[in-house]
RNA sequence: GCGGGGGUUGCCUAGCCUGGUCAAAGGCGCGAGGCUUAGAACCUCGUCCCAUAGGGGUUCGUGGGUUCAAAUCCCACCCCCCGCACCA
């Protein structure tokens, strides 16, 4: 009968709500506090979000069934700038965004107007996400829900920041950001066109001094000379060490340059654009004159450090928007420079005078020869730039492959190159590796004021508004000082004491703790809490979400507290136990009892027992979470566990807008039902791996569970009895038990054990695998055995029902809705969500029966192999079981191997030594016979060893405990099955009657089989 | 570059810490048979190569090594993915 998944979902969702079973309050039971990173409500949830929350919910439900008082709450993170940016775009009628909202997110067009207010966007998606969580069956205590713009929460964050400041962990300073000059605000990846992350590079500005005397242009008036006097040309470079190879400077002849006083001291020539960019870097730039690049062509400058003179030459590739608009030319090592020089020379030789410069300029150009000053494989073959250009077959300045040639040469020289061994060229830097030389030259020149530095964007970036971005240095920025040594030590201490699942990710935490530096913790705009001591700043979103788990306790009481009268002393008492509750009660206008109650509740639930999130939060949120807890709370309230999971793929592909494979969660729920989605998300991979979500998988799970559901109905119908169906119920019918009944119950104990172990380590994939597939397989074997004997359905039900009972319980954390339904069909009391997790009954484990059943399976496997190879249709199958002496020998070898002696020669030696060995191993049986058996049958000894070694260790010890298995009895019990299966007569006997030559084939647990 | 994770039989993924259970679990896909008016679904079997008796051969990124025995331990190398910030 097909299942109406959505009706079942609705029914149990309502029932849970009504019974309020997920609301958790302090009790005498042990508590377990699970939290997940709360969502940022700027879009609806999709399948990918579901993994982390589902995992946490499965964890919560499991712990609840294990008897813990589980608190699993949820909040909503409104803090941040993306929502603000969205609302701005809506206000500007951004077509793309509006279409996304309406067509993809399903927002009604009439709502769009309200989205000009960022809070409305957050509220809308908040509601949407919450509904999705309820539909997914997450066992959340919704009384504790809050948002990060609730006034009381703001108070809480204010308190947090004051605590941090008191501890000296907040500092102020400057730091660079990507900046849009038009919007007057920082830009990060999602604020830029094409979502480009603004990347910074630091140029070294090498100060070339203009030789004013070289200005011998016709109108040599004194004004002009004055302007040029002492002028510095800062050439921007990333390769300071190549200063020794400079042959000239490049200026763009058509670009506008500025002569300006920088920081009130030096007079610099830089492009107009650079002059502006320098001001964002907080340089004081006062422009005195404008000048075209071409006016300076031909003048000489002095190279700092080496005091050589080189000319200024024209190059159109110089970009005034990049660096300073002044480039130093190192033709031996820079393919661009080399090619530009070749081109210039060629045009002069051809008599093409496109520039109209003075004759001396041309003469200067013709004189220039590259100066090779880095030695590497390339320099062995000539001028390195020339070598690489030839290899690429480049012949023009505008060839795009020049970029590749440049990268190749740069990286080769960086890793493998050394400066020239000739001190006449490179002074006392000779033979240094390029990497070291670069740093040293830079530092030396900075020290002697021969150079400066300048931050710039590595690649041009545009703001969403279209304006080109710049690097800006923000002054007075507030930081959380994560570089504090003592703080790091405590964070490590906390991490060491924590459980990290999976363990593999621990090293990453260790690294991040060490690597973290000062972190800007406030912004000028966005939703959130104001910085308590400087209201122009808003606390940034990754800083107001680090200890909020504690707030879930307070949130339950939020309605009873007036945020206006709550002050820091309230939080001091609730969270730290500091202060006098009576006076706090008075000043905060709260009853003392209430304050005490909240404090007690906090102490009951804290610390966090398990924090869940996706692995993307490891290098930020999760590590901040550790840091801030150790800063604020005493050791006994530090978090106990972090669980990290990988992401979700759709049909093996990353989810992305461009692939159009992002499935909204609620849509998926409507189409496939929550239970199947939950299981699909968790079954395809263990924690850290990316999980592959496929519809094929989902459908197959759903159908499997439908079958299980039908089996429940079928077998409950077969027995009239009601009440709870458990081990006791089964035991009461002991007289009915046959071998397969005992077997299935024994198997069940193992499965419970293994599944419980898997759940304890949150190996949910393994757990689901047991529940969905392994249990199915066992059930099928059982049915096959029982039916072949013609046992009645209600006979079978006696064994099947307790098995189903355990299966439904264990499956319920994964598929809660359908399991409630099956639970009620099976006659379970109350909700399965609140039922007990099954525990094993050791008395029901029967190794002899298990070995017996696997003997039957092994025989069937062998029969099938033989049939397959011989392609015969047997009319009779005869099974010959090993005779007594083989068992003696087998068990002897088994014991020897179980002692850890596994080498053939050693085992043989032990056997042959017989009783005289005195080791105790061979003293129980008739020693002399044993020696004879072993000596006469070395090949049998070898075979037995192989067979024992290829048996699972647990089975080896249980076989040793069992001793001689009555194989004839076991196999006789299976004759009905065998005869039915192979449709022929089956006979079982001991091998006595067998011809001597064939006797070698039968071994214990491996009977000889003959088909005729 | 720094740090982390990973390379397994058509695909996805277990196994590796604690060597023998491993030709290697499970799922998906594919093939055959059963069921069915037919199909879907379901059930059974098969799915590296060879084999008319339960066997043999070659496999777990590549190349070495340790061991009676290596997917698993050691060494070297190749390749792929993720993070490197002020942003949720």
């Amino acid at each position: 009968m097909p299942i109406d998944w959505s009706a079942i979902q609705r029914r149990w969702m309502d029932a849970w709500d009504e019974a309020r079973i997920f609301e958790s309050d302090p009790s005498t039971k042990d508590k377990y506090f699970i939290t997940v990173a709360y969502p940022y409500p700027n879009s609806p949830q999709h399948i990918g979000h579901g993994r982390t929350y589902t995992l946490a919910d499965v964890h919560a439900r499991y712990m609840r069934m294990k008897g813990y008082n589980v608190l699993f709450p949820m909040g909503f993170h409104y803090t941040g700038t993306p929502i603000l940016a969205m609302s701005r775009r809506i206000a500007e009628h951004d077509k793309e965004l509006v279409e996304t909202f309406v067509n993809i997110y399903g927002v009604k067009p009439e709502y769009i107007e309200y989205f000009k207010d960022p809070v409305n966007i957050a509220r809308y998606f908040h509601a949407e996400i919450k509904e999705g969580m309820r539909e997914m069956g997450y066992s959340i205590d919704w009384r504790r829900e809050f948002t990060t713009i609730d006034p009381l929460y703001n108070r809480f964050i204010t308190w947090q920041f004051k605590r941090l400041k008191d501890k000296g962990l907040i500092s102020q300073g400057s730091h660079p950001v990507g900046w849009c000059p038009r919007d007057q605000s920082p830009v990060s990846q999602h604020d830029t066109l094409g979502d480009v992350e603004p990347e910074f590079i630091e140029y070294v500005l090498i100060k070339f001094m203009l030789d004013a005397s070289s200005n011998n242009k016709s109108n040599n008036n004194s004004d002009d000379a004055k302007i040029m006097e002492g002028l510095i040309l800062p050439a921007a470079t990333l390769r300071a060490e190549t200063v020794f190879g400079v042959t000239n400077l490049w200026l763009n002849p058509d670009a506008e340059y500025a002569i300006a006083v920088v920081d009130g001291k030096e007079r610099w020539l830089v492009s107009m654009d650079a002059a502006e960019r320098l001001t964002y870097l907080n340089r004081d730039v006062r422009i005195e004159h404008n000048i075209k690049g071409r006016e300076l062509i031909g003048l000489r400058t002095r190279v700092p450090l080496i005091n050589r003179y080189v000319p200024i030459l024209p190059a159109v590739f110089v970009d005034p928007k990049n660096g300073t608009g002044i480039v130093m030319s190192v033709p031996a090592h820079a393919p661009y420079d080399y090619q530009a020089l070749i081109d210039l020379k060629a045009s002069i030789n051809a008599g093409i005078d496109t520039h109209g410069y003075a004759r001396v300029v041309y003469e200067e150009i013709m004189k220039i020869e590259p100066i090779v000053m880095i030695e590497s494989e390339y320099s062995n073959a000539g001028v390195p730039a020339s070598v690489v250009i030839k290899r690429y077959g480049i012949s023009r300045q505008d060839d795009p492959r020049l970029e590749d040639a440049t990268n190749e040469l740069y990286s080769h020289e960086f890793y493998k190159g050394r400066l020239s061994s000739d001190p006449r060229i490179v002074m006392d830097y000779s033979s240094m590796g390029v990497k070291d030389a670069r740093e040293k030259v830079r530092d030396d020149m900075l020290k002697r004021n021969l150079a400066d530095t300048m931050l710039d964007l590595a690649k041009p970036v545009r703001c969403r508004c279209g304006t080109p971005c710049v690097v800006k240095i923000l002054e007075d920025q507030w930081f959380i000082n994560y570089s504090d040594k003592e703080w790091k030590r405590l964070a490590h201490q906390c991490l060491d004491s924590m459980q990290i699942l999976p363990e593999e990710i621990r090293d990453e935490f260790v690294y991040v703790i060490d690597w973290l530096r000062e972190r800007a913790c406030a912004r000028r705009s966005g939703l959130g809490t104001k910085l308590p001591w400087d209201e122009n700043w808003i606390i940034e979103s990754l800083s107001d979400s680090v200890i909020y788990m504690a707030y879930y306790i307070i949130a339950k009481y939020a309605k009873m507290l007036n945020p206006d009268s709550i002050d820091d002393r309230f939080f001091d008492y609730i969270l730290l136990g500091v202060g006098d509750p009576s006076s706090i009660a008075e000043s905060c206008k709260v009853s003392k009892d209430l304050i005490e109650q909240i404090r007690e509740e906090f102490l009951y639930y804290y610390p966090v027992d398990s924090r869940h999130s996706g692995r993307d939060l490891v290098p930020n949120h999760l590590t901040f979470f550790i840091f801030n807890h150790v800063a604020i709370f005493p050791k006994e309230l530090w978090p106990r566990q972090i669980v990290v999971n990988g992401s979700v793929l759709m049909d093996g592909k990353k989810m992305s807008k461009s692939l159009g494979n992002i499935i909204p969660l609620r849509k998926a729920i409507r189409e496939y039902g929550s239970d199947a989605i939950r299981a699909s998300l968790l079954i395809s991979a263990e924690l850290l791996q990316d999980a592959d979500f496929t519809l094929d998988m989902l459908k197959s799970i759903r159908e499997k569970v439908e079958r299980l559901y039908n089996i429940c109905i079928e077998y409950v119908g077969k027995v009239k009895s009601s009440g709870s169906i458990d081990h006791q119920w089964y035991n009461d019918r002991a007289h009915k038990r046959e071998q397969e009944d005992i077997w299935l119950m024994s198997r069940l104990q193992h499965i419970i054990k293994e599944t419980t172990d898997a759940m304890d380590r949150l190996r949910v994939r393994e757990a689901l695998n047991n529940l969905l597939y392994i249990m199915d397989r066992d059930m099928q074997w059982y049915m096959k055995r029982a039916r072949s004997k013609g046992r009645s359905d209600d006979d079978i039900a006696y064994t099947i029902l307790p098995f189903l009972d355990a299966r439904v319980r264990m499956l319920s954390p994964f598929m809660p809705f359908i399991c409630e339904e099956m639970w009620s069909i099976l006659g379970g009391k109350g909700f399965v969500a609140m039922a007990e997790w099954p525990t094993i009954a050791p008395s029901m484990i029967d190794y002899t029966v298990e070995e017996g059943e696997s003997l039957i399976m092994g025989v069937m496997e062998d029969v099938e192999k033989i049939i397959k190879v011989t392609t015969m249709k047997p009319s009779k199958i005869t099974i010959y079981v090993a005779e007594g002496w083989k068992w003696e020998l087998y068990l002897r070898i088994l014991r020897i191997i179980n002692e850890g002696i596994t080498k053939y020669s050693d085992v043989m030696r032990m056997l042959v030594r017989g009783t005289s060995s005195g080791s105790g191993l061979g003293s129980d049986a008739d020693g002399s016979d044993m020696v004879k058996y072993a000596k006469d049958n070395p090949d049998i000894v070898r075979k037995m060893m192989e067979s024992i070694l290829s048996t699972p260790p647990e089975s080896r010890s249980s076989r040793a405990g069992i001793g001689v298995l009555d194989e004839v009895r076991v196999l006789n019990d299976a004759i009905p099955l065998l005869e039915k299966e192979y449709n022929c007569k089956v006979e079982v006997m001991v091998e006595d009657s067998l011809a001597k030559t064939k006797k070698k084939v039968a071994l214990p647990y491996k009977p000889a089989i003959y088909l005729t």
Side-chain angles (χ1 to χ4, degrees), chain A residues 239 332-339 378 384-397 399-413:
Chain A
R239 306 180 76 194
H333 301 287
Y336 273 106
D337 296 341
Y338 187 86
Q339 192 60 39
Y378 287 84
S386 155
V387 171
V388 69
I389 278 180
K390 275 193 196 122
R391 193 136 55 72
Y392 275 81
I394 293 166
S395 59
R396 296 161 53 99
Q397 222 178 122
D399 191 320
R401 282 172 306 163
L402 264 175
E403 191 67 39
D404 304 330
T406 300
N407 287 338
E408 184 184 319
L409 182 58
Y410 278 21
S411 72
H412 175 79
E413 290 185 336

Side-chain angles (χ1 to χ4, degrees), chain A residues 549-592:
Chain A
M549 311 79 208
Y551 186 79
Y552 284 121
I553 313 306
I554 298 167
K556 189 177 109 183
Y557 299 98
K559 284 196 187 105
M560 305 161 75
L561 303 167
N562 177 5
D564 296 331
S565 56
I566 297 290
D567 60 26
D568 294 336
R569 298 197 304 147
F570 174 82
F571 296 104
D572 279 339
Y573 185 73
I574 301 291
L575 302 173
L576 301 174
V578 171
D580 168 42
S582 309
S583 75
I584 294 169
E586 206 169 305
S587 70
C588 294
K589 298 187 178 108
V590 184
S591 81
K592 184 175 170 237

